[in-house]
Amino acid sequence: MGLRILIVEDDAVLADGMSSALRKYGYVVDCLADGAHADQALTTEDYDLTILDIGLPRMDGFEVLQRLRARRKKMPVLVLTARDELADRIKGLNLGADDYVIKPFELTELEARIRALIRRSMGEASPALEIGGLTLDMAARRVLLEGRTLDLTAREFGVLETLMSRAGRVVSKEQLNERLAPGAEDLAENAIEVYVSRLRKKITGADLSIRTVRGFGYLLEATPRA
């Protein structure tokens, strides 16, 4: 039997899309549309992961999460939110959420986040990312270029990890900001540009590039040698 996931989402179309996609990946999925039923299910049933919306009827996602953690349940929780306020995402993390995804999102990204959370909860090491001769070891928190260790700051590592995990897709400055400092004050206005500039210099020699997509963000892509 596959891993069990509970989706708590009152948007029926979104819930159906997520459940259909995750079932195709081999997960066993239950769906609930309000917080009160979710709280009851999480009290009596065993799930491997919960996908929890914040804006729920009868009991909001924050209270569901708080009650779950009060029962000392360590199951991973992935929070979904359409809210723009950074404070809401900080609140979710402080209450015990393991990760969050901002609507709208791609189902492939959601499934990747789920796999990472389940691996972590089962004590499995995070895999390495390898692109263009660059290897990023998420467990050891180090980056190798053709076998040579690169000296990166924690935030440079965070930017590179985010770009490599979404290689081939544009990542916005807001997304990078949120991944670097989800529980702190906003970064300086030009901080992301500074980190990207430093990374470009440090990864010189790798067969990849970090392109600026004006008005959207940054795109990391492999650049095979001729």
Side-chain angles (χ1 to χ4, degrees):
M1 189 173 183
L3 297 172
R4 293 188 70 194
I5 292 179
L6 175 64
I7 295 174
V8 191
E9 170 60 65
D10 62 330
D11 183 326
V13 174
L14 178 57
D16 183 64
M18 287 191 291
S19 61
S20 296
L22 294 177
R23 286 177 182 132
K24 289 179 181 178
Y25 283 113
Y27 298 105
V28 176
V29 182
D30 291 342
C31 288
L32 294 173
D34 70 76
H37 280 115
D39 181 57
Q40 182 179 4
L42 290 169
T43 302
T44 59
E45 300 289 334
D46 289 323
Y47 291 97
D48 295 290
L49 180 139
T50 293
I51 300 172
L52 181 64
D53 187 36
I54 294 300
L56 295 169
R58 299 184 64 197
M59 182 186 295
D60 71 20
F62 289 137
E63 185 172 351
V64 174
L65 178 59
Q66 189 171 27
R67 290 166 68 91
L68 175 73
R69 295 309 187 211
R71 294 192 293 271
R72 302 188 181 280
K73 292 287 187 74
K74 296 182 179 180
M75 172 198 58
V77 175
L78 178 65
V79 167
L80 301 180
T81 177
R83 303 183 187 186
D84 294 331
E85 292 85 355
L86 181 61
D88 285 327
R89 297 193 285 281
I90 295 172
K91 182 176 180 179
L93 293 170
N94 287 339
L95 287 174
D98 296 275
D99 199 357
Y100 63 86
V101 174
I102 300 172
K103 302 175 186 176
F105 53 84
E106 295 183 22
L107 290 171
T108 51
E109 178 185 353
L110 178 70
E111 201 274 329
R113 298 282 188 94
I114 289 170
R115 279 190 286 111
L117 289 176
I118 289 176
R119 276 198 308 268
R120 192 187 312 164
S121 71
M122 292 181 174
E124 297 179 18
S126 300
L129 300 172
E130 297 184 22
I131 304 171
L134 200 64
T135 301
L136 186 146
D137 187 330
M138 290 182 280
R141 304 290 293 177
R142 65 175 183 170
V143 178
L144 302 176
L145 174 56
E146 303 292 353
R148 174 174 57 87
T149 300
L150 296 184
D151 183 18
L152 302 182
T153 66
R155 285 186 166 172
E156 288 168 358
F157 183 94
V159 171
L160 185 60
E161 179 183 11
T162 303
L163 292 173
M164 288 182 70
S165 66
R166 303 181 188 185
R169 288 182 289 163
V170 175
V171 180
S172 70
K173 290 181 183 178
E174 182 186 33
Q175 288 173 314
L176 290 170
N177 193 330
E178 289 164 353
R179 297 304 289 176
L180 292 183
E185 69 281 356
D186 287 343
L187 299 175
E189 185 175 351
N190 68 334
I192 298 300
E193 290 94 328
V194 171
Y195 297 139
V196 169
S197 176
R198 291 176 183 170
L199 281 172
R200 283 174 173 147
K201 294 176 182 178
K202 291 184 178 183
I203 66 173
T204 299
D207 296 329
L208 54 82
S209 65
I210 302 174
R211 288 204 297 118
T212 299
V213 183
R214 295 197 179 279
F216 293 95
Y218 299 97
L219 172 68
L220 184 144
E221 56 186 357
T223 53
R225 295 173 185 173

